[in-house]
Amino acid sequence: MNEKILIIGSGFSSLSAACYLAKEGYEVTVLEKNKNLGGRARQLIKEGFTFDMGPTWYWMPDVFERFFADFNKTPSDYYSLKKLDPAYQIYFGPNDSINIEDTLEKISTAFEKEEPGSSKTLTKFITKAKNNYDIAIKDLVYKPGVSPLELVSVKTIKKLGQFFGNIQSDIEKEFKNKRLSQILKFPVLFLGAKPSDTPSFYNFMNYADFGLGTWYPDNGMYEVVKGIHTLALELGVKFITNSPVEKIIVENNKCFGVISNNKMYISDIVLSGADYHHTESLLDKKYRAYSEKYWEKKVFAPSSLLFYTGFNKKLSGVEHHTLFFDVDFDNHATSIYDKPGWPEKPLFYASFPSITDKKCAPEGYEAGIFLIPLAPGINDTPQLREEYFNIIIERIEKNTGNDLKNNIIFKESFCINDFIKDYNSYKGNAYGMANTLMQTAFLRPKLKSKKVKNLYFTGQLTVPGPGVPPSLISGKLSAGLIVKQLKKNL
């Protein structure tokens, strides 16, 4: 067996697919546009500070375990994990915060203090969420989105109503306390849509949060990239960096290679883990399965304004993951989805990895990563970035009591224009396509091209959807379809 497979991009879905395909004995080559592997999950090292540039949350550890188990490995063969306690902290105002700790029992105690009687409601809510998690993660998300019948089973028929309800109404019906309601809506943001537009079934994210907890790989999320890259090398995958693909070669509706840096790479299969819209732009128009009108109508997950900041002192009153919900949640969501524009009062997220991992900053210093969710496609200028950096620094100072302005050594920013430049991201989105009812499973862009034979796709714009665990699964699904085709051709 010597079929050649070319993979475009080296994000989590591409790395995953590369491993599965190499395991089957195929000759796999990965072409990466940038100088470093990992796609959005790159790493920034500057003046003794280390930052994850993309994902910073390690959720759903069972998905990572299942991935490595497919190769008779475990995550611990490649990186070490620590469960965070607290998992994260949420600020609702000056010196007013709630810690979400590392067990459901502790979280229930915190809820009870906030609203008497809410701990019992929470237990019932998480029990339902766990049941949905077991159905979704152990079964549904490992379907390739080929047919609506994939969603039909005895278990899912019983859950049918949950695909037409929504997370927001479910939570607000059970939890009258606005702060607790906001906490429970938070995990849904990882799916890329408003809670009011996210089907009730997706409450399994609450189990991922409260039931499975938040973890940290020693040295950061980039260690996971390095671990999967090492596995891929062990399996014989070849990687070529600084190799943007300029054209996908198609003749008679059949793909047989790509052009990168003016060099032709011939292959039996091309699999793209790059942005789906961008990948189709590498094809002649007649071979594109989805029109510009199609993409315009889709609900995309947010983009982000990110800052990677070095402080010359340790911070107090913050945890490794700290959320600032001291402004109106719904107003910010409106500025992302309903009336796209820069939010007047943004919610934002802060990560201080050096609280957990001293290697992330020089001794006595702190590394800070800040993220403001934004509507994709809006105007991005240096002036706006600076304005919003000042807004969040002032808010951190106000809420936590830290004096920060005079302790900033440097800051690097990353926003919409950078997502487009570095990742060819459609409208500069950060997380792909949102998981709304009409963008779930078989209703998402297909893993296999509908117009070009031997061309496949993987990643967060196709199934199962946004996030690191879904990307690992997407790579497995794409690889499975490719193996099926190649074996059928024998």
Side-chain angles (χ1 to χ4, degrees):
M1 185 185 297
N2 60 356
E3 286 97 338
K4 293 182 178 181
I5 299 173
L6 273 174
I7 299 179
I8 303 172
S10 65
F12 279 110
S13 60
S14 292
L15 291 172
S16 169
C19 290
Y20 283 107
L21 291 165
K23 179 187 174 187
E24 292 291 328
Y26 302 116
E27 185 180 323
V28 181
T29 301
V30 176
L31 298 178
E32 168 55 48
K33 170 182 183 288
N34 297 306
K35 66 177 181 179
N36 296 314
L37 302 176
R40 285 166 166 79
R42 291 186 297 166
Q43 190 179 59
L44 172 65
I45 298 175
K46 182 173 180 176
E47 296 183 29
F49 293 81
T50 300
F51 306 92
D52 282 315
M53 293 185 69
T56 54
W57 294 79
Y58 192 104
W59 272 12
M60 303 184 183
D62 52 321
V63 174
F64 294 87
E65 289 163 7
R66 185 167 172 176
F67 168 78
F68 283 106
D70 284 340
F71 304 92
N72 296 315
K73 302 286 187 179
T74 66
S76 61
D77 291 327
Y78 298 95
Y79 53 88
S80 59
L81 285 172
K82 176 182 179 179
K83 193 175 189 183
L84 296 181
D85 185 21
Y88 54 92
Q89 177 184 32
I90 301 176
Y91 268 96
F92 293 98
N95 302 308
D96 179 12
S97 66
I98 294 176
N99 280 357
I100 300 302
E101 297 184 78
D102 64 336
T103 67
L104 183 56
E105 184 180 0
K106 293 178 186 176
I107 297 167
S108 295
T109 299
F111 268 53
E112 191 67 24
K113 287 180 181 177
E114 185 71 22
E115 181 183 11
S118 63
S119 60
K120 290 183 179 179
T121 307
L122 179 65
T123 299
K124 292 177 183 176
F125 187 84
I126 297 300
T127 298
K128 291 179 182 177
K130 181 184 185 303
N131 184 256
N132 284 353
Y133 188 91
D134 289 341
I135 294 170
I137 304 303
K138 293 178 182 177
D139 186 20
L140 285 187
V141 296
Y142 286 90
K143 305 291 187 183
V146 174
S147 164
L149 295 177
E150 293 171 357
L151 300 179
V152 180
S153 70
V154 173
K155 291 179 179 178
T156 56
I157 288 172
K158 291 179 180 178
K159 302 283 184 179
L160 189 61
Q162 293 190 34
F163 286 94
F164 297 96
N166 70 77
I167 293 281
Q168 179 161 308
S169 62
D170 291 350
I171 290 173
E172 292 179 353
K173 181 181 177 182
E174 298 290 343
F175 298 89
K176 303 305 179 187
N177 182 291
K178 188 174 181 181
R179 288 148 63 105
L180 298 184
S181 175
Q182 280 190 297
I183 292 169
L184 287 165
K185 291 175 193 174
F186 159 65
V188 178
L189 300 179
F190 285 89
L191 299 170
K194 291 191 299 183
S196 59
D197 291 333
T198 303
S200 301
F201 182 76
Y202 284 103
N203 70 0
F204 63 72
M205 291 297 294
N206 291 110
Y207 176 71
D209 180 3
F210 288 2
L212 298 175
T214 302
W215 300 75
Y216 175 77
D218 190 38
N219 291 325
M221 284 293 288
Y222 197 68
E223 286 300 303
V224 185
V225 172
K226 289 164 67 175
I228 301 175
H229 174 227
T230 299
L231 171 62
L233 291 174
E234 292 167 354
L235 292 164
V237 179
K238 182 180 179 182
F239 291 86
I240 306 174
T241 55
N242 295 308
S243 298
V245 172
E246 292 119 25
K247 185 75 175 175
I248 296 173
I249 309 165
V250 179
E251 282 189 8
N252 300 320
N253 296 80
K254 185 176 180 181
C255 172
F256 65 91
V258 304
I259 296 173
S260 174
N261 291 331
N262 296 316
K263 179 181 177 181
M264 185 179 292
Y265 292 84
I266 302 300
S267 66
D268 297 286
I269 296 286
V270 171
L271 169 64
S272 179
D275 178 275
Y276 206 120
H277 172 270
H278 169 73
T279 302
E280 287 219 313
S281 77
L282 303 176
L283 296 163
D284 292 338
K285 199 166 185 178
K286 64 181 178 179
Y287 294 128
R288 298 172 192 172
Y290 302 101
S291 67
E292 288 299 318
K293 187 179 288 186
Y294 171 89
W295 295 111
E296 282 289 337
K297 288 182 177 179
K298 292 300 162 184
V299 179
F300 273 80
S303 186
S304 299
L305 170 57
L306 289 142
F307 294 101
Y308 313 102
T309 311
F311 296 96
N312 64 6
K313 70 173 186 179
K314 299 298 288 183
L315 276 61
S316 61
V318 293
E319 298 294 345
H320 183 132
H321 296 301
T322 304
L323 306 168
F324 290 85
F325 281 9
D326 53 321
V327 298
D328 189 87
F329 184 101
D330 293 328
N331 284 345
H332 190 152
T334 296
S335 72
I336 295 174
Y337 298 102
D338 304 322
K339 298 177 182 177
W342 285 79
E344 184 180 346
K345 295 180 179 178
L347 286 83
F348 65 96
Y349 153 66
S351 174
F352 303 100
S354 45
I355 289 175
T356 301
D357 190 345
K358 293 179 180 177
K359 298 184 292 300
C360 289
E363 187 175 355
Y365 289 18
E366 206 83 271
I369 303 167
F370 307 111
L371 184 154
I372 301 174
L374 297 173
I378 61 175
N379 192 33
D380 169 20
T381 68
Q383 294 77 15
L384 282 166
R385 296 188 190 196
E386 187 67 22
E387 177 185 339
Y388 277 79
F389 181 75
N390 291 329
I391 287 172
I392 62 175
I393 291 298
E394 287 173 6
R395 291 251 301 280
I396 295 171
E397 289 182 330
K398 179 182 177 182
N399 282 288
T400 69
N402 284 283
D403 181 15
L404 299 178
K405 285 190 179 74
N406 298 320
N407 299 100
I408 297 169
I409 304 170
F410 67 84
K411 69 175 186 296
E412 297 263 345
S413 66
F414 199 96
C415 197
I416 291 168
N417 293 344
D418 302 298
F419 280 102
I420 294 170
K421 178 174 67 73
D422 287 4
Y423 310 129
N424 296 308
S425 171
Y426 181 72
K427 291 188 176 181
N429 80 81
Y431 307 108
M433 190 183 286
N435 266 330
T436 62
L437 176 62
M438 298 307 294
Q439 295 180 177
T440 291
F442 67 97
L443 296 173
R444 297 178 71 81
K446 299 301 183 186
L447 293 170
K448 183 178 182 179
S449 173
K450 294 188 286 186
K451 290 193 174 183
V452 180
K453 189 177 180 182
N454 299 341
L455 176 61
Y456 291 80
F457 299 84
T458 188
Q460 56 192 8
L461 266 72
T462 184
V463 292
V468 177
S471 291
L472 289 178
I473 295 167
S474 186
K476 180 175 184 175
L477 295 176
S478 298
L481 291 180
I482 291 168
V483 171
K484 185 177 179 181
Q485 179 192 316
L486 291 177
K487 288 185 174 179
K488 186 178 179 181
N489 293 345
L490 290 176

